[in-house]
Amino acid sequence: MHILDTRLAQEIVIRTMRIIPFNVNVMDANGVILASGNADRVGELHAGALLALAKKLTVEIDAAAARKLHGAQPGTNLPLCVDGQVCGAVGLSGAPHEVRQFGELVRLTAEMILEQAALASQLQDNSRYREAFVLNLIRNDSAQRPELEGWARRLGLDLERMQLVFLLELQPEPAAAASALHDIQRLQTRLFARRDDALTATVGPSEMVLLDSWEPARKGFESTPQRRLEALAQLVREECELPFTLSMGIALPGLEGAAISYQSARSASRLGRLRAPRQQLFSYYDLALPVLLSGLDSGWQAHQLRMPIGRLANDKSRAMLRVTLDTWFGRDENSAATAASLGIHRNTLDYRLRRIGELTGLDLARSEDKLLLYVSALLSPA
């Protein structure tokens, strides 16, 4: 067991010598002095500690015994145990009858420090293990399926439950961008402290994913993801001082479900921020059609779908027409709401829509042509 190191040994020496009037030595499992109130003794082999470690008992050395042991000094030496295993020893220098009363106090203090360090290390290792699992899960590498299933069992994760991925993105000021990774990792630690069942992973300098799951049930399913989004957003607001966006993917069961949920959360984030730059929360369920259509962004089909919007590029009023079109679709093709949002007269809006129809070659009175233009606009961000 390699819990005891120089740093911890020095901490034990400093803390114990604040409360007792004797020199304290801390030795590793081989009896070598790691830290001491007498810096000249660091690195020496401590004869009394060797005896205490060998016997696993407290060993006192008086002046007569010290003269028979090379380099030894009078004092008391006690083995240190963590989780039932001896990991080192602590020694107090002085006449045994004077230091004996402080021995157990020093040992308890030292073991408490070591136990806290062991727990912190265990939690850190567990956190890294959970993070590695989440990263591999959202990558959806089929070759790792057996390994991921084994990890899920060890973590107590039932993959038959609904898997829901959230993407948290910090929005730091440009001057603070360099510290964004530190901020996201600190937030990750805070969230784990609030929810020790949380499965999280850092996926970018200012990005973190959170994996949630619950038993599938038909009743109230539609509202369950939204409630979880709002609850998580409130938790992040309480722990995060920086501006952020939180995007939720689709809820699906299984290994593949988690990977798809992550992909849809990222698409919802990208499309949501294009549509509403000031909005904080985005959901696949509010952006289902744009997210699904975003998969058609390559190949000859994508080229054909982008052509209608592409025809606007040759007009000198292309920017104004594109804003008009996006606003019209954003207002569910309601002319009155669109005109009010743009601050223009209804007749001006009608003229612009006719001009869009002429340039694209589409009849905006036909549902099919409107759908084609809508898809074209989705695949061609302004």
Side-chain angles (χ1 to χ4, degrees):
M1 177 177 289
H2 301 286
I3 296 173
L4 184 56
D5 57 19
T6 301
R7 180 186 63 82
L8 287 172
Q10 189 63 37
E11 182 181 349
I12 292 169
V13 169
I14 292 172
R15 290 178 62 175
T16 54
M17 289 187 65
R18 286 175 182 166
I19 56 176
I20 66 170
F22 298 98
N23 180 58
V24 174
N25 302 306
V26 177
M27 285 66 67
D28 65 14
N30 297 313
V32 176
I33 301 177
L34 296 177
S36 172
N38 180 2
D40 292 337
R41 299 200 65 188
V42 174
E44 292 182 359
L45 194 63
H46 195 288
L50 287 173
L51 291 173
L53 290 167
K55 295 180 178 182
K56 296 183 181 180
L57 295 170
T58 299
V59 172
E60 293 185 346
I61 299 177
D62 57 20
R67 286 193 293 270
K68 299 177 183 178
L69 295 171
H70 178 70
Q73 296 182 9
T76 185
N77 303 279
L78 305 92
L80 298 174
C81 297
V82 175
D83 291 333
Q85 297 186 47
V86 176
C87 61
V90 63
L92 285 74
S93 302
H97 70 278
E98 293 179 347
V99 299
R100 185 180 301 130
Q101 60 181 317
F102 299 106
E104 198 60 36
L105 172 63
V106 171
R107 172 160 57 182
L108 288 173
T109 301
E111 289 181 344
M112 179 188 69
I113 292 172
L114 294 176
E115 287 170 358
Q116 289 175 342
L119 178 59
S121 176
Q122 182 180 358
L123 289 174
Q124 186 177 36
D125 290 343
N126 186 47
S127 176
R128 289 173 180 168
Y129 178 85
R130 293 155 70 96
E131 183 162 26
F133 170 73
V134 173
L135 289 173
N136 282 280
L137 189 63
I138 63 177
R139 288 181 185 134
N140 194 27
D141 184 351
S142 58
Q144 290 192 319
R145 184 181 183 92
E147 183 179 358
L148 287 173
E149 290 176 341
W151 284 17
R153 285 193 295 271
R154 288 192 289 273
L155 289 170
L157 179 65
D158 183 359
L159 293 176
E160 295 306 312
R161 304 176 77 188
M162 302 301 291
Q163 308 299 322
L164 183 60
V165 172
F166 298 89
L167 175 63
L168 175 66
E169 299 169 276
L170 298 185
Q171 310 292 330
E173 295 294 332
S179 63
L181 179 58
H182 174 72
D183 291 328
I184 201 75
Q185 290 174 337
R186 182 172 56 185
L187 177 59
Q188 190 175 3
T189 301
R190 288 180 176 177
L191 292 178
F192 182 74
R194 295 281 297 273
R195 284 185 51 181
D196 59 8
D197 62 334
L199 288 171
T200 65
T202 301
V203 293
S206 58
E207 301 176 348
M208 175 174 64
V209 294
L210 301 96
L211 177 65
D212 195 5
S213 65
W214 77 94
E215 289 292 341
R218 290 190 175 277
K219 184 177 181 181
F221 169 79
E222 295 78 4
S223 62
T224 299
Q226 184 61 32
R227 290 200 306 269
R228 290 177 177 266
L229 174 63
E230 293 168 356
L232 180 57
Q234 181 58 38
L235 180 59
V236 175
R237 290 188 190 106
E238 293 171 3
E239 298 293 340
C240 182
E241 299 175 357
L242 293 174
F244 68 88
T245 59
L246 183 64
S247 305
M248 179 177 69
I250 185 174
L252 293 171
L255 286 171
E256 295 81 3
I260 294 171
S261 185
Y262 169 67
Q263 295 164 9
S264 61
R266 188 163 285 284
S267 294
S269 170
R270 177 176 60 84
L271 294 168
R273 283 184 285 113
L274 283 172
R275 287 183 158 207
R278 297 182 180 180
Q279 191 168 313
Q280 187 179 50
L281 306 183
F282 302 107
S283 166
Y284 162 82
Y285 295 96
D286 295 330
L287 298 160
L289 183 58
V291 170
L292 293 173
L293 291 174
S294 67
L296 301 173
D297 59 358
S298 62
W300 69 269
Q301 296 97 331
H303 176 71
Q304 292 298 314
L305 289 170
R306 289 191 178 98
M307 283 183 64
I309 285 294
R311 295 184 183 118
L312 295 180
N314 299 321
D315 191 85
K316 63 181 181 180
S317 301
R318 56 187 176 274
M320 178 191 67
L321 294 177
R322 181 58 194 269
V323 170
T324 300
L325 183 63
D326 288 344
T327 305
W328 187 56
F329 282 135
R331 297 296 182 276
D332 297 320
E333 301 154 27
N334 183 304
S335 294
T338 303
S341 179
L342 293 171
I344 60 176
H345 194 275
R346 276 283 302 272
N347 292 341
T348 303
L349 174 62
D350 292 340
Y351 167 77
R352 292 183 186 179
L353 292 175
R354 285 196 302 272
R355 183 61 180 157
I356 291 171
E358 292 169 1
L359 291 170
T360 60
L362 298 174
D363 181 358
L364 299 190
R366 294 184 65 236
S367 297
E368 192 169 306
D369 281 9
K370 280 193 294 187
L371 177 59
L372 176 56
L373 188 57
Y374 178 68
V375 173
S376 185
L378 285 178
L379 296 180
S380 306

